[in-house]
Amino acid sequence: MIQVTNSIALDEAELQESFIRASGPGGQNVNKVETAVQLRFDVRNSPSLPDYVKEKLERLAGSRMTNDGVLIITAQRFRSQERNREDAVERLVELVRQATERPKPRRPTRPTLASKKRRLESKGRRAEIKKGRSGKPAFE
C-alpha cells in the first residue's frame, strides 16, 4: 500500500508500469535500455479514492488523463529505471494529495465604515473636478 494521506492509501496492484526508451541523457545506454517509466492509474475505477477526490484529480490531471479516466505519468528524468519508477510514484502521490485538499470556503465580508467614507469622499472630489470642467472658460 502507498500511503497518500491519513485516510487514503493506494493499492500497488492498481498501478500498471511499463518501460519505454527515454530521450535525453544516457549516452549509448539510451538506445539500448528502457529506463523511462510510464505509470498508469485508473482513477475512475479506483476503490481507494473517494468520489470528490476522483473528480478533482480529473481536473488537475488535464492532458495526462485519457478519455477512459486513466492517468498516465511518464518519468524519464533519471538514468536508472528504479529512480524513474520512484519518481513516477512520487508524482502520482503528490497529484492525489493535491486533489484531497478542499478549498477553504469564502466568508463574505462587509466594507468598513472608514472605507465607505473614503469612497464617498473620493467620489465627491471627482464630481467637483468634473463640475469645474463645464461652463465658460476662465479667460476672455
Side-chain angles (χ1 to χ4, degrees):
M1 294 296 270
I2 301 168
Q3 199 67 33
V4 179
T5 63
N6 293 337
S7 59
I8 297 176
L10 300 176
D11 188 7
E12 291 177 18
E14 293 182 65
L15 306 179
Q16 295 174 340
E17 292 176 338
S18 58
F19 301 100
I20 53 177
R21 289 194 178 147
S23 62
Q28 292 177 348
N29 206 34
V30 81
N31 299 322
K32 298 185 294 184
V33 184
E34 295 178 335
T35 55
V37 177
Q38 197 173 58
L39 185 74
R40 292 173 169 268
F41 176 61
D42 193 353
V43 176
R44 288 191 190 146
N45 299 323
S46 173
S48 308
L49 300 177
D51 289 337
Y52 77 93
V53 174
K54 290 178 185 179
E55 291 170 14
K56 190 164 181 189
L57 192 56
E58 285 193 35
R59 284 196 307 270
L60 284 174
S63 62
R64 294 176 285 191
M65 183 76 71
T66 66
N67 292 334
D68 300 329
V70 177
L71 177 66
I72 301 174
I73 295 177
T74 306
Q76 58 181 11
R77 192 181 323 172
F78 301 105
R79 289 173 67 162
S80 76
Q81 193 180 75
E82 191 55 41
R83 286 186 65 192
N84 280 330
R85 180 188 263 164
E86 291 169 7
D87 183 41
V89 171
E90 284 174 20
R91 284 166 46 194
L92 173 67
V93 167
E94 185 56 38
L95 202 61
V96 173
R97 199 170 282 143
Q98 284 178 6
T100 60
E101 294 172 3
R102 290 190 171 169
K104 186 177 161 188
R106 182 188 176 279
R107 282 207 187 104
T109 58
R110 294 173 56 193
T112 62
L113 186 62
S115 69
K116 286 181 186 176
K117 285 183 179 177
R118 280 194 304 269
R119 182 178 145 270
L120 292 174
E121 285 171 9
S122 69
K123 281 171 67 86
R125 281 195 298 272
R126 190 78 186 143
E128 287 298 320
I129 291 169
K130 289 188 171 192
K131 198 183 291 182
R133 289 181 188 157
S134 65
K136 294 184 181 170
F139 61 92
E140 278 189 34

